[in-house]
Amino acid sequence: MRHGLRLLTPLLASGCAGLAVWAAFPPVGAWWAAPLGLALLVLALRGRGTWAGAGLGLVFGLALFTPLLHFAAVAMGNPIGWAALTVVEALYLAALGAAWALISRIGRLEEPGALALLARISAFTVLWCGVEELRSAWPWGGFPFGRLAFAMADAPLLPFAAYGGTVGLSALVALAGAGLAETVAALRRRRALNGLLAAALAGLVVFAPVLAPVDGVAQNGTLRVGAVQGNVAEEFEDAFSRALEVTGNHAEATRTLAQDVGRGTLDVVVWPENAADLDPRDYPASAALVDSAAQAVGAPLLVGVVPYADGVRYNDTVVWTPGVGAGEYYRKHRPVPFAEYIPLREQLRHLTDQVDRIGTDMAPGTGPQVLTVHAAVQDRDVRLAMGICFEVAYEDTLRAGVEQGGEAIIIPTNNASFLHSSEAEQQLAQSRVQAVIHGRALVQVSTVGVTAIINPRGGVEQRTQAYTQASLVADVPLRTSITVADRLGSLPGLTAQVAALLLTAAGMVSGMSRIGRRRRRRP
């Protein structure tokens, strides 16, 4: 019985740890649960072997990603993709558990002193960030949902995002979690001084960033933006298959907006991703609807369209000038694997015919990450950094737009397929963190919600409710300065990955040395 309990306890602890970290994300949004969950994970892994560490890491990952990524099942209408994505993401945490089992047994890390304590905390932080960076970038561009940074939109740590980016913000959470674990371990061993040191470090990294200066004032005037959420019936697949229904919804909402604020009072109006269900550049009836809306409001529209060419499709946001028509466009650079295109289609078809639900793969766009719009009221050109839908989770994609002169960030998105799942709220949290990282106001515009105006400090100024036809109007501050996080670019993430790899290699060498010593001692 006792042996069974000894086996069951760390498994339960790892599962509870994963659920705690999940609770830090929307819809629960208890940010403080993330460091608590990591602390429980570190304690569960303490003293474990490599295989045990891998198993406990896998349990932690399954407990975290199963509820976090449930929106994939909602979007597909079956659990196949959800299960596959959950397992793949959880395997990264299994690797983390195995690597930490190796690293934590490096001789100097096992010492009882304060320096060894700080080294253990730092080592776990580096390993966590290295693994998080890897799964956010590989394979096929990675999948950044579930980064600790994206659970911190309401945390006192958020200002640090302007200095350390997503990897820096995640590092503070990991530091806090490892510090709490060391506090518990020290108290168990009656090492009060070590416990006090670890607790002080955890408290410092959580609450000190609130003092970090984050500038959100306009540096180049403001842009008066209208954000239109046209709404789509919850039977979204039928809605998008009925020609011009979605376009008509957004045209109607735009005409209502024009009546509310007056024609010619807005600089630009933003429609969501896929707002024009037929590309107005190719279909005159769609062009007529879009142009009538632009004429009514007296401002250029940013319109989401999906063009088809040469056996592939693209995801564009087009500048539509009233009375003139389509101008320049931004073409989504990072289509989502298994959602917008199918890697290894022929091989995977042997496992499931679900791959053919995506009949035409979406290809990545090229060119600038910015759109230039002519502000109607101010009669001047303004550059906007662009990202479409899931691109909001990729820091480097938005950084490119900022470095190319984007003075605000625009995120058109289409959340219709996710219904009332947590995906839209998770995306809003990502937008809030990205606004701070890049020091820009961010306008997220959705077909069905959440549409929101976010200031450069990550605060939500206005937002809509899901599945309502609505619009927002805001004077968005335009900014030109570059944050420390954007100046550092990919360096912190690359450093974390290299350092994690070196630590793991050192752990493997230490483990082999230990095995060699044991063999030499045998008679």
Side-chain angles (χ1 to χ4, degrees):
M1 176 68 75
R2 290 181 179 178
H3 179 69
L5 286 175
R6 283 199 299 270
L7 291 175
L8 187 60
T9 299
L11 288 173
L12 288 174
S14 297
C16 290
L19 289 173
V21 175
W22 162 74
F25 293 88
V28 180
W31 65 265
W32 44 267
L36 293 179
L38 290 186
L40 188 55
L41 174 65
V42 173
L43 291 171
L45 292 173
R46 199 174 189 89
R48 308 293 172 188
T50 306
W51 286 107
L56 294 175
L58 181 64
V59 170
F60 171 84
L62 291 172
L64 165 60
F65 289 116
T66 297
L68 186 76
L69 304 179
H70 180 253
F71 59 77
V74 175
M76 286 188 65
N78 65 64
I80 295 175
W82 173 37
L85 182 59
T86 295
V87 170
V88 169
E89 296 303 306
L91 286 174
Y92 286 95
L93 278 303
L96 180 141
W100 181 241
L102 291 169
I103 293 168
S104 62
R105 294 194 174 195
I106 296 175
R108 293 182 180 179
L109 294 184
E110 293 184 305
E111 295 175 4
L115 288 179
L117 178 148
L118 292 175
R120 286 192 296 273
I121 293 174
S122 300
F124 178 80
T125 300
V126 167
L127 180 62
W128 178 276
C129 291
V131 171
E132 188 175 87
E133 284 293 303
L134 179 63
R135 76 170 186 84
S136 299
W138 183 87
W140 304 299
F143 193 72
F145 274 67
R147 297 192 73 146
L148 294 178
F150 294 144
M152 297 297 115
D154 288 309
L157 300 84
L158 181 60
F160 188 72
Y163 299 87
T166 48
V167 64
L169 193 52
S170 288
L172 293 190
V173 183
L175 272 169
L180 290 174
E182 288 293 337
T183 301
V184 173
L187 293 177
R188 282 179 178 173
R189 297 179 180 182
R190 298 182 180 180
R191 293 172 182 156
L193 187 58
N194 279 5
L196 182 62
L197 175 63
L201 177 62
L204 182 67
V205 299
V206 168
F207 294 106
V210 76
L211 302 175
V214 177
D215 188 5
V217 300
Q219 296 171 322
N220 193 26
T222 61
L223 187 72
R224 192 158 181 79
V225 176
V228 172
Q229 177 176 301
N231 200 24
V232 175
E234 293 198 35
E235 299 80 13
F236 67 93
E237 290 180 345
D238 290 337
F240 279 95
S241 67
R242 293 191 291 270
L244 300 181
E245 179 174 318
V246 178
T247 313
N249 288 351
H250 286 83
E252 177 188 3
T254 303
R255 287 191 290 269
T256 300
L257 172 64
Q259 292 172 3
D260 292 340
V261 302
R263 185 182 188 280
T265 61
L266 300 177
D267 287 313
V268 64
V269 174
V270 185
W271 283 13
E273 176 190 25
N274 304 151
D277 41 19
L278 294 177
D279 191 340
R281 295 171 296 186
D282 297 326
Y283 292 89
S286 180
L289 271 175
V290 172
D291 196 62
S292 69
Q295 295 275 13
V297 79
L301 301 182
L302 300 187
V303 183
V305 301
V306 179
Y308 289 75
D310 302 322
V312 296
R313 60 194 172 111
Y314 299 97
N315 194 339
D316 294 358
T317 295
V318 180
V319 179
W320 189 279
T321 303
V324 176
E328 67 176 271
Y329 60 88
Y330 167 70
R331 178 160 286 173
K332 187 176 185 179
H333 282 53
R334 302 181 85 141
V336 181
F338 304 104
E340 294 175 322
Y341 74 99
I342 303 295
L344 308 176
R345 182 186 291 268
E346 293 304 319
Q347 294 88 335
L348 291 174
R349 188 179 284 118
H350 295 296
L351 300 177
T352 174
D353 60 3
Q354 290 293 311
V355 297
D356 293 322
R357 290 184 61 174
I358 298 174
T360 304
D361 284 334
M362 183 173 288
T366 57
Q369 301 271 171
V370 295
L371 279 179
T372 301
V373 298
H374 190 77
V377 177
Q378 302 180 51
D379 193 25
R380 63 169 176 141
D381 288 342
V382 176
R383 281 193 163 191
L384 302 171
M386 298 297 301
I388 295 177
C389 197
F390 278 18
E391 286 186 317
V392 72
Y394 293 92
E395 181 181 329
D396 57 342
T397 296
L398 300 186
R399 178 183 300 120
V402 168
E403 290 175 342
Q404 292 164 18
E407 298 178 275
I409 298 173
I410 306 295
I411 305 291
T413 184
N414 175 18
N415 308 107
S417 59
F418 300 106
L419 300 177
H420 292 283
S421 71
S422 65
E423 188 273 343
E425 294 292 344
Q426 287 189 48
Q427 200 171 46
L428 177 63
Q430 293 167 3
S431 289
R432 294 178 62 189
V433 173
Q434 295 287 12
V436 179
I437 290 172
H438 305 292
R440 297 292 187 270
L442 189 149
V443 180
Q444 176 176 301
V445 189
S446 172
T447 47
V448 298
V450 176
T451 296
I453 308 293
I454 301 166
N455 65 39
R457 296 187 179 90
V460 178
E461 301 283 352
Q462 303 176 53
R463 60 164 290 168
T464 63
Q465 297 304 310
Y467 287 97
T468 58
Q469 188 174 97
S471 59
L472 304 176
V473 174
D475 291 308
V476 172
L478 299 176
R479 294 177 50 77
T480 56
S481 61
I482 304 297
T483 63
V484 174
D486 278 339
R487 292 184 187 280
L488 291 174
S490 61
L491 181 61
L494 181 61
T495 301
Q497 291 184 74
V498 172
L501 181 62
L502 292 175
L503 275 173
T504 304
M508 294 173 68
V509 171
S510 177
M512 288 187 290
S513 299
R514 184 173 301 192
I515 292 172
R517 288 195 299 270
R518 288 175 181 171
R519 287 177 176 174
R520 287 193 295 270
R521 289 173 188 168
R522 292 174 183 173

